[in-house]
Amino acid sequence: RRGADSYSNVSGNPWPLEIIRPIRGTTADLKYRLSILTFLDYSDSVPVIKWEFLPDEIESILDYECSKASCEFAGRKYTAWFTSDIPLPFGPYKFGGLPGLILKIEDSEHQYVWEAIGFENTNVPIMKYTYQDGNDKRCSVSDIEKTLARYFNSPIGFLIASMGGDGNRIHVVGKDGKRMNNADAAKQSIPYKPLEIK
């Protein structure tokens, strides 16, 4: 709207999770965006992460000298690079608590990697976007886990069920270029490794 830039799935999927994390406090508001224009709203705790500093390992990211630290979070081991030149104790997702901004963090399997690619000075205020399509569903963390497992197990089946017989039709084209029937399409799954294992 109003000429604003938006993410496109053509060049790659955007991170499907929006997180509003308070400067102080232990709870964040999250919105998980599924590819079918369904938004799952929930609140979750922001953990206090126990970091192990690795003082002899320095890396340059975006011309900032970054120190290295490691931690365990939600069943995965992570390595983070942070810069004390930007003394903000934040990072992507729920990561934070270091004496500087996290510019890169990755898990030991390289399934989840976040890296800053640039900074921009702007006077534009940070605003929380409100979706107007009415597809927001308020739920619990447990509901999110179950819904995501169902969604990735059968995205087309999930879409068919969520359209609820409104007379909408779904046409899925297979790799061979031919239209699949809905029963075969519903058997297709997407590999899924949750970010938080426990």
Side-chain angles (χ1 to χ4, degrees), residues 31-134:
K31 187 176 295 239
Y32 200 103
R33 178 179 44 228
L34 297 175
S35 62
I36 56 173
L37 299 177
T38 297
F39 303 93
L40 306 173
D41 289 323
Y42 63 107
S43 295
D44 200 2
S45 61
V46 176
V48 175
I49 297 174
K50 182 179 176 184
W51 292 97
E52 179 184 334
F53 294 94
L54 307 167
D56 296 334
E57 300 190 42
I58 304 293
E59 185 173 322
S60 179
I61 300 173
L62 297 175
D63 295 327
Y64 288 94
E65 188 176 279
C66 294
S67 300
K68 193 174 181 181
S70 65
C71 72
E72 290 191 23
F73 168 69
R76 295 182 185 277
K77 294 180 181 183
Y78 287 90
T79 302
W81 291 264
F82 65 96
T83 180
S84 55
D85 293 339
I86 306 174
L88 298 171
F90 302 112
Y93 191 53
K94 298 178 185 177
F95 297 102
L98 288 167
L101 187 66
I102 297 172
L103 297 184
K104 181 178 178 182
I105 188 165
E106 63 186 17
D107 75 316
S108 60
E109 296 178 355
H110 304 285
Q111 292 290 316
Y112 293 93
V113 180
W114 294 270
E115 184 171 0
I117 59 171
F119 291 102
E120 181 180 333
N121 288 325
T122 181
N123 292 324
V124 177
I126 297 172
M127 299 173 68
K128 183 177 178 181
Y129 187 81
T130 302
Y131 297 93
Q132 297 183 11
D133 58 10

Side-chain angles (χ1 to χ4, degrees), residues 4 26-27 95 100 131 137 185:
T26 59
T27 303
F95 297 102
Y131 297 93
K137 295 180 182 178

Side-chain angles (χ1 to χ4, degrees), residues 32 34-35 144-160 182-194:
Y32 200 103
L34 297 175
S35 62
I144 289 286
E145 292 167 357
K146 292 173 188 171
T147 300
L148 290 177
R150 263 189 11 250
Y151 173 73
F152 284 102
N153 185 50
S154 176
I156 302 302
F158 188 92
L159 178 60
I160 291 167
N182 284 350
D184 289 338
K187 294 177 186 174
Q188 306 297 313
S189 66
I190 298 173
Y192 175 58
K193 289 190 174 185

